[in-house]
């Protein structure tokens, strides 16, 4: 979780400062750049939550679950917009590096936390 925190804070700063890097050559509008900067801010805020969750992942598993849901929905949305032709297929690499690589570790922590709670209630 600490690695996820550092990564998200770094990526959030990068996207907030240079949102055009994920547009893969598509001409940006001012509105799109504003939205991407907001996304960068949110990604960075997730990083702060992941930092606190790294201190005790079992206690903060709901924060990790929220991140996991976002990391599932992000690629689904990208595939949808790639299929519609609204995003370049190369955009999917953003999801690989920012979402999909975290699914297994986040999922494992959630699985362990839920099993721990279920065992405690038995």
């Amino acid at each position: 979780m600490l690695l996820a925190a550092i990564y998200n804070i770094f990526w959030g700063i990068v996207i907030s400062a240079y949102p055009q890097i994920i547009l893969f050559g598509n001409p940006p509008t001012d509105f799109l750049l504003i939205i991407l900067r907001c996304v960068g801010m949110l990604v960075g805020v997730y990083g702060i939550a992941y930092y606190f969750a790294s201190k005790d992942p079992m206690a903060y598993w709901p924060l990790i679950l929220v991140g996991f849901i976002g990391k599932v929905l992000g690629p689904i949305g990208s595939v949808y917009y790639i299929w519609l032709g609204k995003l370049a297929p190369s955009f999917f690499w953003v999801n690989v590096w920012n979402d999909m690589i975290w699914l297994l570790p986040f999922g494992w922590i959630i699985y362990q936390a839920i099993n721990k709670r279920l065992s405690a209630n038995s």
Side-chain angles (χ1 to χ4, degrees):
M1 288 310 305
L2 183 58
L3 184 58
I6 293 166
Y7 182 85
N8 274 262
I9 291 168
F10 171 77
W11 185 244
I13 291 169
V14 168
I15 292 303
S16 293
Y18 306 103
Q20 63 278 11
I21 67 169
I22 64 170
L23 295 177
F24 299 99
N26 293 323
T29 64
D30 288 341
F31 180 72
L32 180 58
L33 293 176
I34 291 167
I35 295 298
L36 290 175
R37 283 189 171 104
C38 290
V39 168
M41 178 196 60
L42 292 171
V43 168
V45 169
Y46 269 96
I48 295 167
Y50 298 156
Y51 170 76
F52 287 106
S54 75
K55 300 299 181 187
D56 188 354
M58 294 302 131
Y60 293 105
W61 71 269
L63 287 176
I64 299 167
L65 177 62
V66 169
F68 182 85
I69 292 167
K71 292 182 183 310
V72 168
L73 295 177
I76 290 170
S78 290
V79 167
Y80 175 72
Y81 286 106
I82 290 167
W83 180 70
L84 289 178
K86 302 288 184 184
L87 285 174
S90 57
F91 184 85
F92 195 71
W93 284 108
V94 172
N95 295 115
V96 170
W97 298 112
N98 291 292
D99 299 316
M100 298 175 75
I101 63 169
W102 301 108
L103 288 175
L104 185 62
F106 282 34
W108 180 250
I109 292 168
I110 295 162
Y111 173 79
Q112 293 295 318
I114 290 172
N115 271 349
K116 183 177 177 181
R117 288 183 166 273
L118 291 175
S119 296
N121 292 333
S122 297

